[in-house]
């Protein structure tokens, strides 16, 4: 059975937790530790590699990603120059030998396909020749937009081993795209999807957003069916957020229970529609076609294995420190950070500058949070094997609050997982597990 929920006024949409701690908890590192020291004792046989491209042709009204609109002549080339300098310094810091191996790779942004076909070739060369990632042998995921998913770019990515292409569509209804400040036409989206299918990348993901002004259950179903017509291997369903310093920021102030209810209603309708069409739910956002080919590294776990991020918006993870460069949302600040990045000499990339130390409590929280937000949940025996304690030992009060709301399932004592309603409230579950220190740091962060 599942614990009966109690009435709660908690907003279901507090924060999308795709990484913990959030970058707003990062601070300048006084010592600027050398990467050689940070990685010396780290396991390096199943690393994740992420290359960040901070450019887009437009910036959507909901977007708070680290990206800028367009690029003056020469900036993308200068950025790749800096990326290559950083890759050289980081690879040297990791050490030589067979113990360094990348199990998975991804290009994100921004929009990686903002780069030209020739620049994408160079990006792949940096990943392979500078970092040593075998892109033809590991899963490689790439993000794209309809306007930049051109045949020549897709041909490069397919030839270099891309196994997953994620297309940001958000809505197949032109009026909704305009309401989200995303100038696109459905005809252009359909043409891009046709090119992706022609390129034969094994996994196509389509991103859709619910909660847009003017969106109804009928128009939401229309977008879902338009996406399903392409038989995507994956679909991500995102609730719309209006975040500070974004284009939509001025349109909403304070809590909006009616909007919360609209988004929950659309989420449930979308979830049920995809489940009825042969998709399995992997998280609140992710749905995967039951017969889709496997994608993802068999030997990399985000809870335990390290990540190397290259580019001024990327983050890297060791057991003791999460680090990156400075973070901003405002366009003026982002441009300044990018300009600083491209001007750096190679020696600057041999140190960590901004980050958040990970003590034993934060490491446990991250493991619990990143496992619990997946539909399959967490095996307490695995947690005990790693930490010598159980989730209940370490986070009893937090888990009790989740259970009290009906968000924790008690159907299987061998697995700690969310109920269907708990998954629906994932963006409230995640923040519930933040440490007091991370909450304080995020609250003190000065937005820019």
């Amino acid at each position: 059975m599942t614990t009966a929920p109690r009435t709660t006024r908690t907003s279901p949409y507090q924060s999308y937790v795709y990484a913990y701690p959030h970058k707003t908890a990062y601070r300048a590192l006084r010592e600027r530790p050398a990467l050689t020291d940070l990685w010396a004792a780290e396991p390096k046989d199943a690393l994740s590699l992420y290359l960040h491209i901070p450019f887009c042709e437009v910036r959507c009204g909901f977007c708070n990603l680290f990206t800028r609109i367009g690029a003056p002549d020469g900036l993308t080339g200068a950025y790749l120059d800096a990326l290559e300098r950083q890759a050289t310094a980081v690879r040297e810091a990791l050490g030589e030998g067979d113990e360094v191996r990348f199990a998975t790779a991804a290009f994100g942004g921004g929009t990686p396909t903002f780069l030209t076909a020739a620049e994408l070739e160079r990006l792949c060369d940096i990943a392979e020749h500078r970092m040593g990632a075998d892109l033809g042998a590991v899963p490689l995921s790439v993000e794209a937009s309809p306007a930049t998913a051109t045949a020549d770019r897709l041909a490069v990515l397919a030839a270099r081993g891309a196994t997953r292409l994620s297309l940001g569509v958000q809505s197949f209804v032109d009026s909704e795209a305009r309401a989200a400040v995303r100038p696109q036409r459905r005809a252009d989206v359909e043409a891009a999807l046709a090119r992706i299918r022609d390129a034969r990348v094994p996994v196509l993901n389509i991103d859709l957003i619910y909660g847009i002004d003017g969106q109804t259950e009928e128009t939401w179903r229309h977008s879902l069916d338009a996406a399903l017509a392409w038989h995507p291997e994956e679909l991500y369903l995102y609730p719309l957020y209006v975040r500070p310093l974004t284009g939509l920021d001025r349109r909403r102030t304070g809590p909006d229970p009616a909007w919360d209810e609209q988004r929950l209603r659309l989420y449930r309708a979308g979830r049920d529609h995809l489940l009825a069409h042969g998709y399995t739910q992997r998280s609140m956002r992710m749905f995967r076609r039951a017969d889709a080919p496997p994608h993802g590294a068999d030997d990399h776990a985000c809870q335990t294995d390290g990540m190397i991020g290259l580019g001024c918006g990327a983050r890297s993870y060791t057991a003791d420190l999460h680090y990156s460069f400075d973070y901003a949302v405002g366009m003026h600040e982002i441009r300044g950070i990018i300009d600083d990045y491209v001007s750096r000499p190679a020696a600057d990339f041999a140190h960590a500058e901004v980050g958040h130390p990970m003590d034993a409590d934060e490491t446990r929280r991250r493991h619990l949070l990143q496992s619990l937000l997946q539909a399959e949940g967490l095996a307490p025996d695995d947690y005990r094997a790693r930490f010598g304690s159980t989730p209940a030992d370490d986070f009893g009060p937090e888990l009790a609050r989740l259970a009290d709301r009906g968000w924790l399932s008690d159907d299987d004592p061998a697995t700690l997982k969310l109920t269907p309603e708990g998954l629906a409230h994932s963006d409230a579950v995640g923040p519930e597990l933040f440490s007091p220190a991370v909450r304080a740091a995020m609250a003190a962060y000065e937005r820019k």
Side-chain angles (χ1 to χ4, degrees), residues 150-403:
T150 57
D152 59 338
R153 292 175 170 102
L154 294 170
V156 168
L157 294 173
R160 298 301 294 265
T163 54
R164 179 179 182 270
L165 199 291
S166 181
L167 192 71
V169 174
Q170 321 313 350
S171 177
F172 283 84
V173 179
D174 288 351
S175 61
E176 291 178 2
R178 290 193 297 272
V181 194
R182 183 179 177 83
Q184 67 183 25
R185 298 182 308 136
R186 176 172 176 176
D188 296 330
V189 171
E190 300 279 1
L193 286 165
R195 292 192 295 270
I196 293 168
R197 282 311 198 195
D198 288 344
R200 299 187 180 279
V201 175
V203 174
L204 164 64
N205 172 69
I206 297 177
D207 289 343
L208 297 176
I209 284 181
Y210 53 92
I212 300 170
D213 282 348
Q215 193 175 46
T216 66
E217 288 191 46
E218 290 72 26
T219 62
W220 177 228
R221 176 73 66 88
H222 179 78
S223 279
L224 290 166
D225 286 339
L228 288 171
W230 290 97
H231 305 289
E233 285 70 25
E234 294 178 1
L235 277 157
Y236 269 70
L237 308 185
Y238 289 93
L240 179 66
Y241 272 90
V242 175
R243 299 179 175 94
L245 303 181
T246 62
L248 294 178
D249 184 23
R250 65 186 182 277
R251 299 190 184 185
R252 296 187 188 275
T253 57
D256 190 340
W259 191 34
D260 285 348
E261 286 303 315
Q262 180 210 18
R263 286 181 286 178
L264 269 177
R265 186 172 63 253
L266 294 174
Y267 160 79
R268 291 172 178 138
R271 174 198 62 194
D272 295 347
H273 195 60
L274 295 186
L275 293 178
H277 280 77
Y279 285 76
T280 59
Q281 185 169 16
R282 300 296 184 89
S283 69
M284 172 187 166
R285 288 163 170 77
M286 181 185 177
F287 296 80
R288 202 156 204 277
R289 213 178 67 206
D291 63 347
H295 181 268
D298 294 332
D299 56 351
H300 175 85
C302 64
Q303 298 96 328
T304 57
D305 293 312
M307 183 167 86
I308 296 291
L310 301 179
C312 58
R315 58 182 101 204
S316 299
Y317 304 145
T318 70
D320 298 325
L321 181 70
H322 289 192
Y323 62 93
S324 183
F325 294 97
D326 200 6
Y327 172 72
V329 176
M331 289 303 301
H332 177 75
E333 297 290 342
I334 288 174
R335 289 174 180 173
I337 293 170
I338 294 172
D339 289 345
D340 172 71
Y341 176 82
V342 302
S343 68
R344 287 171 177 254
D348 272 13
F349 296 120
H351 299 266
E353 295 188 1
V354 177
H356 190 283
M358 299 295 289
D359 60 18
D361 175 72
E362 296 291 19
T363 299
R364 285 170 164 81
R365 285 182 185 276
R366 178 173 181 259
H367 189 102
L368 174 64
L369 189 154
Q370 292 196 308
S371 301
L372 197 57
L373 295 182
Q374 301 299 312
E376 66 182 3
L378 168 68
D381 287 348
D382 292 343
Y383 184 96
R384 185 194 293 273
R386 184 180 182 198
F387 298 113
S389 57
T390 69
D393 293 335
D394 296 334
F395 304 108
E398 292 95 328
L399 294 175
R401 286 193 293 271
L402 298 182

Side-chain angles (χ1 to χ4, degrees), residues 36 39-48 90-103 131-133 299-300 305-306 308:
T36 304
W39 286 97
E42 292 289 309
K44 296 185 280 285
D45 60 341
L47 296 173
S48 173
V90 170
R91 186 62 185 83
E92 182 177 339
L94 291 177
E96 300 299 327
D98 296 337
E99 72 275 9
V100 179
R101 189 183 70 86
F102 292 96
M131 292 305 299
D299 56 351
H300 175 85
D305 293 312
I308 296 291

Side-chain angles (χ1 to χ4, degrees), residues 102-105 107 124 127-128 132-140 156-163 202:
F102 292 96
T104 181
F107 302 157
C124 293
E128 289 201 321
D134 187 350
L135 298 184
V138 303
L140 170 60
V156 168
L157 294 173
R160 298 301 294 265
T163 54

